Amino acid sequence: MMQNDPIPLIRARALWMRRTAFTMVHRAQLGHPGGDFSATDILATLYFGVMRHDPARPAWEDRDRFIMSKGHATGAIYTALCAAGYFPEDWLPSYMQNGSPLNGHPNRNYVPGVETNTGPLGHGFPVALGIAIAGQITGRDYRTYVLTGDGEQQEGSNWEAAMVAGHRRLANLTLIIDRNRLQQGAGTEETSGLDPLDKKYEAFGFEVQMVDGHDVSALLGALTAKGDRPRCIIANTVKGKGVSFMENVAKWHHGVPNDAEFAQAMAELV
């Protein structure tokens, strides 16, 4: 729930999320820590400073909805949901184990607080679009937020969703793009250039704002702003943010740490 000044809480939660997610990845020797860390401050800001939600009632009809379209970044979304109280902390050591609810992509049938199953890139934004349209039709005042990766913007389904969102003037929809400029194996601009991303979304009828995706104050301002059109927040981030040997290094898209790397990362994440 909201505090008068949520920034200290958000920063504390983000630090806990990074340390906990990296511990999970180290234990499992599986995961996507680079993308977890670029998204962490965004998720912490949403769950602890922006969204209307109640972990005791995950299906509350008037909750704000959040779709984690970059579904491979499970270390980030699972730690956010755990910190928010959707499931107990003692679930976390089971991450990626056989039979664990915390598998490689979030599943709404297993994990409270997960709105829809994601993983195949380009699916989350269209689902969020449908949820926002439902809210518009029924007159409910919930907001729908969706976080995509920037490499994910190369999927055409995003642009079909953007076209409809702009056409319907879905003021209840906020798209957040984790703009870390790296995808699996290379930079986004080397793979299939996206710039000027802001101008493209403006052309589709979005209100667009570019922010530092690790500046909690800037994120709060952008995520709580309202208008009469759908919003696109391009959050400029750093893949592997917070750990020196991971930052802006493509291999940490799905890299896993050895014991020495884990110890160094935990010493830096303070």
Side-chain angles (χ1 to χ4, degrees), residues 18-161:
R18 283 190 173 91
R19 289 179 60 87
T20 304
F22 209 57
T23 300
M24 291 158 54
V25 170
H26 177 246
R27 180 185 293 115
Q29 286 294 288
L30 291 167
H32 294 82
D36 287 338
F37 284 12
S38 63
T40 295
D41 297 306
I42 298 166
L43 291 176
T45 302
L46 281 167
Y47 278 94
F48 301 104
V50 175
M51 291 199 304
R52 181 176 66 190
H53 65 109
D54 183 355
R57 296 180 293 164
W60 176 36
E61 289 187 353
D62 291 322
R63 72 193 181 280
D64 289 336
R65 274 70 164 171
F66 172 70
I67 305 296
M68 184 71 165
S69 192
K70 48 176 287 181
H72 56 277
T74 46
I77 187 60
Y78 290 156
T79 53
L81 290 171
C82 180
Y86 282 91
F87 60 82
E89 194 170 338
D90 61 13
W91 283 23
L92 298 177
S94 74
Y95 179 61
M96 297 282 197
Q97 292 183 10
N98 287 339
S100 171
L102 306 182
N103 58 31
H105 292 104
N107 188 320
R108 68 186 303 274
N109 297 306
Y110 304 146
V111 183
V114 173
E115 293 286 348
T116 191
N117 298 13
T118 54
L121 299 180
H123 287 197
F125 187 16
V127 171
L129 171 75
I131 293 171
I133 291 173
Q136 185 186 62
I137 291 171
T138 59
R140 292 192 176 275
D141 68 348
Y142 65 77
R143 295 194 61 80
T144 302
Y145 301 88
V146 55
L147 177 63
T148 77
D150 51 358
E152 184 177 2
Q153 292 295 305
Q154 294 157 1
E155 293 283 356
S157 50
N158 288 302
W159 300 102
E160 295 178 41

Side-chain angles (χ1 to χ4, degrees), residues 178-199:
D178 182 356
R179 188 71 168 115
N180 61 39
R181 295 185 173 270
L182 287 173
Q183 57 195 104
Q184 184 172 327
T188 57
E189 303 313 290
E190 300 170 59
T191 305
S192 183
L194 298 170
D195 284 333
L197 198 51
D198 55 341
K199 300 301 181 186

Side-chain angles (χ1 to χ4, degrees), residues 22 25 31-35 182-187 239-240 244-258 261:
F22 209 57
V25 170
H32 294 82
L182 287 173
Q183 57 195 104
Q184 184 172 327
K239 198 148 195 165
S244 59
F245 60 83
M246 290 173 59
E247 290 189 351
N248 289 316
V249 178
K251 79 169 189 176
W252 286 99
H253 175 82
H254 52 63
V256 295
N258 59 34
E261 289 168 332

